[in-house]
Amino acid sequence: MIDIQKMLIKAMKNEFFSNPDEELNKALNLATRQILGEMKTKFKDIQEEITIDIQYKTLQKMKKDRENSVKIYTEAFAKTNSSIAKENLDKAKLELEPIDIFLSELEDKMPKKMSEEDTKEFILDTWKNIQFTEKNPNKGILMKAIKTS
């Protein structure tokens, strides 16, 4: 599991963002703290181990929420030219950057998915091996062999 506290400390030390614009760095760090705080709050309620997969899915949902907010605030700003809509739009866009950074860190630590072709080949090879060792192989035996591999 990625330690959220360590990511927050890195963010506060400006290790994530090194833009020449100091105000932008401050805003990105604030957005990072908000994202990590939201993650900690969500994980507080989970009774099981917080796996990389759970963290990844949480961040994907947060990213989708921010993208929807960007769309809504863009439309609102286009219609009203409101400073509040513009401020909310900028905030939602800003929060996407740390989410993308965290998602890419998690992707580096996640197991790589097999391609469809590799998956088919793996299943066929497993089935051939079962046919050599079992008299009457069936799908249940194949599934058990696949799950244990």
Side-chain angles (χ1 to χ4, degrees):
M1 179 174 101
I2 287 185
D3 187 350
I4 295 173
Q5 290 291 84
K6 287 180 183 175
M7 293 174 87
L8 179 57
I9 291 167
K10 277 185 180 180
M12 291 191 306
K13 290 181 176 179
N14 282 335
E15 291 179 20
F16 274 136
F17 311 107
S18 57
N19 296 307
D21 182 356
E22 201 169 305
E23 287 300 311
L24 180 59
N25 279 341
K26 285 180 183 178
L28 285 167
N29 282 325
L30 178 62
T32 301
R33 285 189 210 110
Q34 289 171 335
I35 298 299
L36 292 173
E38 191 176 327
M39 286 180 69
K40 285 179 80 173
T41 301
K42 289 181 183 204
F43 295 157
K44 215 180 257 189
D45 298 334
I46 296 177
Q47 299 299 318
E48 59 193 79
E49 180 185 352
I50 310 299
T51 62
I52 288 177
D53 192 46
I54 290 171
Q55 292 179 60
Y56 189 77
K57 287 177 183 174
T58 301
L59 283 168
Q60 281 183 317
K61 183 177 181 336
M62 291 168 73
K63 181 177 180 174
K64 185 177 179 182
D65 291 346
R66 294 329 186 271
E67 288 170 341
N68 287 338
S69 294
V70 166
K71 182 180 175 186
I72 290 167
Y73 292 129
T74 300
E75 291 170 2
F77 181 66
K79 288 179 184 175
T80 63
N81 206 19
S82 160
S83 62
I84 295 172
K86 175 69 172 144
E87 188 178 307
N88 289 333
L89 173 62
D90 293 342
K91 182 181 178 216
K93 283 182 179 179
L94 199 61
E95 289 175 351
L96 283 170
E97 189 169 340
I99 291 173
D100 286 335
I101 289 171
F102 297 154
L103 281 171
S104 90
E105 277 198 33
L106 288 174
E107 285 169 355
D108 292 344
K109 296 178 192 244
M110 293 175 77
K112 303 298 179 225
K113 292 184 179 179
M114 292 171 65
S115 69
E116 185 176 339
E117 193 173 294
D118 290 340
T119 304
K120 286 178 183 178
E121 185 178 320
F122 173 74
I123 291 171
L124 286 174
D125 288 345
T126 305
W127 181 248
K128 287 176 187 173
N129 290 336
I130 289 172
Q131 287 178 324
F132 287 121
T133 59
E134 297 283 330
K135 285 186 177 183
N136 296 318
N138 62 37
K139 290 180 185 176
I141 293 171
L142 174 63
M143 291 305 294
K144 185 177 179 182
I146 289 171
K147 285 184 178 182
T148 58
S149 296

